[in-house]
Amino acid sequence: MSVALSNRFQGGKAFGLLKARQERRLAEINREFLCDQKYGDEESLPEKLAAFKEKYMEFDLNNEGEIDLMSLKRMMEKLGVPKTHLEMKKMISEVTGGVSDTISYRDFVNMMLGKRSAVLKLVMMFEGKANEGSPKPVGPPPERDIASLP
């Protein structure tokens, strides 16, 4: 009766378990940052790390703990700042120091907490500030007739 976890569950249940596992891994990394003396003087660090974890999980499409080129492309398009593949490769290289083709959660947090202003960091900060001022509408969109369309 030894069946692998992925074979026992399908669909939404398997996805939920995968997300929960990823959340535990990212929470463990957050604890490492909280214990790190280098970030001891950072104000409201737990809140920042929780926000970073939420954003990272939103854009980690394959749930493997890394943001690859396609995930970054989706992130930039969702934030309203589409970039070319070359620009995105440069952004990944800037965040990882040219070591990897994907952005790990540690690289992401180091970038967001670091003093260097990476392009990705500026876009993420701008996106957060842009959403603060305008609350998202709730419910179905208002009905429109053909004459009111542009």
Side-chain angles (χ1 to χ4, degrees):
M1 199 76 188
S2 66
V3 178
L5 176 69
S6 60
N7 293 336
R8 282 192 299 185
F9 301 109
Q10 298 177 358
K13 187 165 232 160
F15 181 74
L17 290 171
L18 193 62
K19 278 295 191 187
R21 189 179 310 138
Q22 180 190 26
E23 189 166 346
R24 284 192 303 272
R25 276 196 316 258
L26 298 183
E28 185 178 313
I29 293 170
N30 278 353
R31 281 192 293 278
E32 291 173 16
F33 275 98
L34 287 170
C35 295
D36 193 344
Q37 298 299 322
K38 188 165 79 170
Y39 300 106
D41 61 341
E42 188 79 31
E43 64 182 56
S44 66
L45 184 61
E47 293 83 15
K48 286 180 181 179
L49 289 174
F52 296 159
K53 181 174 85 168
E54 185 179 317
K55 274 294 177 203
Y56 191 84
M57 286 180 66
E58 180 181 343
F59 294 113
D60 181 13
L61 297 180
N62 56 10
N63 298 315
E64 292 180 0
E66 295 179 333
I67 294 179
D68 60 358
L69 192 66
M70 293 312 293
S71 300
L72 184 61
K73 180 175 177 58
R74 179 177 170 255
M75 178 193 302
M76 292 292 111
E77 288 172 352
K78 190 171 181 181
L79 297 176
V81 191
K83 300 283 184 188
T84 65
H85 280 290
L86 191 57
E87 289 172 317
M88 288 187 293
K89 282 185 175 186
K90 184 178 178 187
M91 290 167 74
I92 290 174
S93 177
E94 188 178 319
V95 172
T96 64
V99 177
S100 176
D101 292 335
T102 58
I103 300 173
S104 71
Y105 183 63
R106 278 188 177 85
D107 290 336
F108 183 76
V109 173
N110 279 326
M111 172 200 60
M112 295 302 285
L113 292 177
K115 305 301 178 213
R116 274 187 35 226
S117 61
V119 173
L120 182 58
K121 177 180 177 179
L122 296 172
V123 169
M124 295 294 290
M125 289 171 53
F126 172 75
E127 187 264 344
K129 288 184 176 136
N131 287 343
E132 286 175 3
S134 59
K136 291 185 178 181
V138 182
E143 290 187 27
R144 297 175 68 177
D145 60 355
I146 223 79
S148 67
L149 295 175

